[in-house]
Amino acid sequence: MEKVNTWGRRVAAALAVMWVSATAPSLHAAEIVVGQVAPLTGVLASTGAQMVLGGKIYFDWVNAQGGVHGASIRQSVVDDAYKVPDTVKATRELLAKPEVVALYGFAGTANITQLLSDGVLEQGGAALVAPYTGGESLRNPFNPWIFHVRAGYADETEHMVQQLTTLGMNRVAVMYQDDGFGKAGLAGVEAALAKRNLKLVVSAGYERNTDKVDDAVKAIKAADVHAVIMIAVNKPAAAFIQRYREQGGGAQLYNISVVDPTELVKLAGLKNAHGLGISQVVPYPYRPQLPVVREYQTLLKKYAPDAEVNYTSFEQFLGAKVLVEALRRAGPAPTRAKVVKALESLQSYDLGGITLGYSPTNRIGSRYVEVTVIGSNGRLMK
């Protein structure tokens, strides 16, 4: 536990330096600035730290090799605490700086949906690469600014419902965050069940940026379901798992991909979290079977030796690789428009055993989904 806390303090210190660098004048003649808004405080803080880390280790390595066309990449990070107004304000401020050529790795369906509704991305004309969300509202209708690395929540919920119903578990409940993120996942579960002529037994929401889940626990426990699919982030998901299990709830529990299993075990207790199914939208990063997983593990050990392998940092590592390739293709003097065009040219791009593709009419790079389970030792198993 001390190791985790020590690493957390080091990450916080490193991020503080990055925030300062975001506002300091440039000291480098040739520099490419990538803007990132991430939840470094609040209910999603541990996830936000992993998001920033995944990009940082790859950008650090690229810079150590001489950068992109001789220019170093600067990751300019701002904390939004997962609060929608803060996301909008921080993004406007980043896009007001002409040196910011692209945005990378934001979190939150509601947060990013607001950027679209307010026209922030369109006015800024910059691509947002690898947002940490699978919300359908960011994919449909088509918008040209967001380049997704991960599958959508509709893909994840379809996969989970397919697995459940194959096992004969037809009585399904949903515990969801009452916002755009939670409702996107809820709609995905309902659609997947309807495809199989089934209906949701009960759905129960909780208020965003809280872990007030007692009403949801009560409603779902009373419904006597076979399985509960949670569309929730770390703290409220852990609170639900702990309280539901401690009150005798025996259904199979699942959560969508945006949670950190280490955090869930720490908050809910291993006894309660053991057996939780978590859908994943990138390949298993714990075994170095793919070249890109080996690369990620090597750079993690080199640039963040105290950090552990993590799905979130791996996903954002993949996003950083996508962005850097686009910066290369954009040429020696990248502009926002050139980066968008370069991303569209990645029509079948191999990251090292994982292929993603975009085009002028497609922004969904991958639809990969699999389900993992928290094992008896607290670690994820396939």
Side-chain angles (χ1 to χ4, degrees), residues 29-33 67-72 98-102 324-342:
E31 189 174 69
I32 296 169
V33 183
V68 179
H69 301 296
S72 62
E99 66 268 25
V100 175
V101 298
V324 167
E325 179 59 23
L327 292 172
R328 285 198 182 103
R329 295 187 186 196
T335 62
R336 293 174 186 180
K338 285 180 181 176
V339 172
V340 170
K341 288 290 180 193

Side-chain angles (χ1 to χ4, degrees), residues 247-321:
Q247 291 177 34
Q252 171 62 47
L253 301 180
Y254 284 85
N255 206 100
I256 215 146
S257 60
V258 297
V259 286
D260 179 346
T262 304
E263 186 81 355
L264 291 183
V265 170
K266 187 170 82 175
L267 294 174
L270 178 55
K271 181 182 174 185
N272 298 316
H274 175 215
L276 173 72
I278 304 175
S279 58
Q280 306 294 351
V281 291
V282 295
Y284 196 68
Y286 299 93
R287 284 201 291 268
Q289 292 174 318
L290 297 175
V292 72
V293 174
R294 290 196 288 275
E295 181 186 23
Y296 159 73
Q297 291 188 359
T298 300
L299 296 186
L300 189 69
K301 186 175 286 187
K302 179 177 176 65
Y303 292 106
D306 292 335
E308 294 186 358
V309 170
N310 176 280
Y311 264 102
T312 303
S313 62
F314 179 53
E315 179 181 329
Q316 295 297 297
F317 179 83
L318 298 177
K321 283 180 70 75

Side-chain angles (χ1 to χ4, degrees), residues 5 34 71 88-89 98 149 155 163 177-178 188 195 206 221 234 248 252 259 264 276 295 313 324 338 346 349 356-357:
N5 292 337
V34 173
V88 174
K89 179 174 181 287
V149 168
D155 300 311
Q163 187 176 91
Q177 183 162 292
D178 193 5
K195 204 165 125 181
Y206 69 89
K221 172 115 179 1
N234 293 333
Q252 171 62 47
V259 286
L264 291 183
L276 173 72
E295 181 186 23
S313 62
V324 167
K338 285 180 181 176
L346 301 176
Y349 181 59
L356 283 85

